[in-house]
Amino acid sequence: MAGGHHPILAGIAGWPVAHSLSPLIHATWAKRAGINGYYIPVAVPPSYEEFARGMDAVRTLGFAGVNVTIPHKEHALRYADAASDAAARAGAANMLTFGAEGAFADNSDIAGFAAAVREKSSVPGASALILGAGGAARAVALALQNLGVARIDIANRTREKAGALAKAFGLSLVGWSDRSEALAGADLVVNTTSLGMSGEPPLHIDLSLMRTSAIVADIVYSPLETPLLKAAAARGNRTVDGLSMLMHQAGFAFRQWFGGEPAVDDELRAMLVDELKRRGRM
Ligand code: NAP
């Protein structure tokens, strides 16, 4: 049995963290592969000092690594001794791997989102529109560039934040009030705002100018079919939901810490959908 008598330990650090689906994803893969391992949610209060203390503690316990979620993705990069190009360019990390040389920061949100899009279509040369300019938008912009998307427009409620991303990554700035018009030129539209999430207002956007060939992605996964995805599917657009990104980013972490080939498949998806329903989040 991989992990032997000493279980492999990993986890997710965030605040809050109890809602995370990652422990269930990793436990499922560990069980399937017969790996002696545990993936544990670790609640770490918001400050950098608390984060650093929390990371020191899990390293003392022998953790192989942790995923990092809100509000610690930038703290993870600061805490690390070294970082991948992806994490450095994104300015944030969702993975810390602990080894003899120290803590290594990586960002599998980028490859996770790219893998989710690749499941539906190949997009080299395409035009994309990103809505939102938070941490996830940075990962999505890098993923789209890695996929060979030729032109990326970005719109965000707070214009300065979209402007900063546009400057950093060579994107084109679109006004938030012009988002519906900007759909006309897009082959791929990605919502990276928290609008549409349970408990948040919906994303108000008029889809009538969007091509029917365009792909619409939403990285929000609770509910799984956001009002945006529902409206897009109803007019015949292909959609990519936030669960695909979540499962794929988890796969990179699982391979790194537990080993083996974690499958992102229908069985895993069905189990996560059941769990979201059980929690009343769909
Ligand atoms: P963030 O850094 O806090 O950014 C939030 C974004 O939402 C900003 O662009 C913000 O605009 C926008 N926003 C929030 N309320 C708004 C409103 N009322 N009107 C217009 N825009 C609004 O968060 P994040 O880390 O990027 O995460 C964003 C979402 O992605 C979350 O729902 C998160 O759960 C999800 N996510 C999913 C995955 C996955 O694997 N599926 C991975 C990462 C994140 P302003 O700049 O104007 O405030």
Side-chain angles (χ1 to χ4, degrees), residues 12-278:
I12 178 161
W15 187 268
V17 78
H19 68 286
S20 172
L21 290 174
S22 296
L24 185 55
I25 298 174
H26 285 264
T28 304
W29 282 331
K31 193 170 166 205
R32 279 185 189 174
I35 290 169
N36 181 15
Y38 296 94
Y39 183 99
I40 299 159
V42 185
V44 179
S47 73
Y48 175 74
E49 288 67 33
E50 296 275 12
F51 179 74
R53 254 200 300 280
M55 294 305 97
D56 291 348
V58 296
R59 291 170 83 174
T60 304
L61 292 171
F63 275 47
V66 287
N67 279 122
V68 179
T69 187
I70 292 169
H72 292 305
K73 289 186 181 183
E74 285 163 16
H75 293 161
L77 198 58
R78 178 171 161 197
Y79 178 82
D81 301 293
S84 68
D85 283 350
R89 285 204 68 203
N94 74 328
M95 281 176 69
L96 280 175
T97 298
F98 306 124
E101 282 100 55
F104 183 77
D106 204 349
N107 191 318
S108 66
D109 281 338
I110 300 167
F113 181 72
V117 170
R118 234 186 273 112
E119 274 184 353
K120 290 283 159 97
S121 174
S122 78
V123 285
S127 290
L129 171 65
I130 297 177
L131 301 167
R138 300 178 82 88
V140 164
L142 287 166
L144 294 179
Q145 289 181 334
N146 291 347
L147 285 168
V149 168
R151 179 193 165 95
I152 303 175
D153 291 341
I154 185 164
N156 188 53
R157 176 182 61 176
T158 308
R159 189 179 171 88
E160 297 71 39
K161 277 169 71 182
L165 249 74
K167 198 165 166 215
F169 298 126
L171 319 180
S172 307
L173 184 59
V174 170
W176 183 241
S177 55
D178 298 328
R179 61 194 182 281
S180 298
E181 287 71 29
L183 290 172
D187 304 300
L188 177 63
V189 179
V190 190
N191 175 44
T192 74
T193 73
S194 45
L195 294 172
M197 199 163 110
S198 315
E200 299 285 330
L203 168 68
H204 292 295
I205 190 162
D206 175 359
L207 301 186
S208 57
L209 290 177
M210 187 168 67
R211 302 171 186 161
T212 38
S213 58
I215 297 175
V216 180
D218 200 327
I219 70 165
V220 167
Y221 60 82
S222 172
L224 191 55
E225 191 177 44
T226 60
L228 171 66
L229 292 187
K230 200 171 192 161
R235 58 193 294 288
N237 290 92
R238 281 171 296 166
T239 60
V240 177
D241 65 39
L243 208 47
S244 294
M245 176 182 180
L246 185 78
M247 292 187 292
H248 281 292
Q249 65 77 29
F252 291 100
F254 189 89
R255 268 191 292 277
Q256 177 84 25
W257 303 323
F258 295 104
E261 257 319 304
V264 172
D265 55 20
D266 290 345
E267 194 185 324
L268 181 68
R269 167 178 282 274
M271 198 198 54
L272 296 172
V273 168
D274 281 350
E275 179 61 16
L276 286 171
K277 281 186 187 147
R278 196 185 65 76

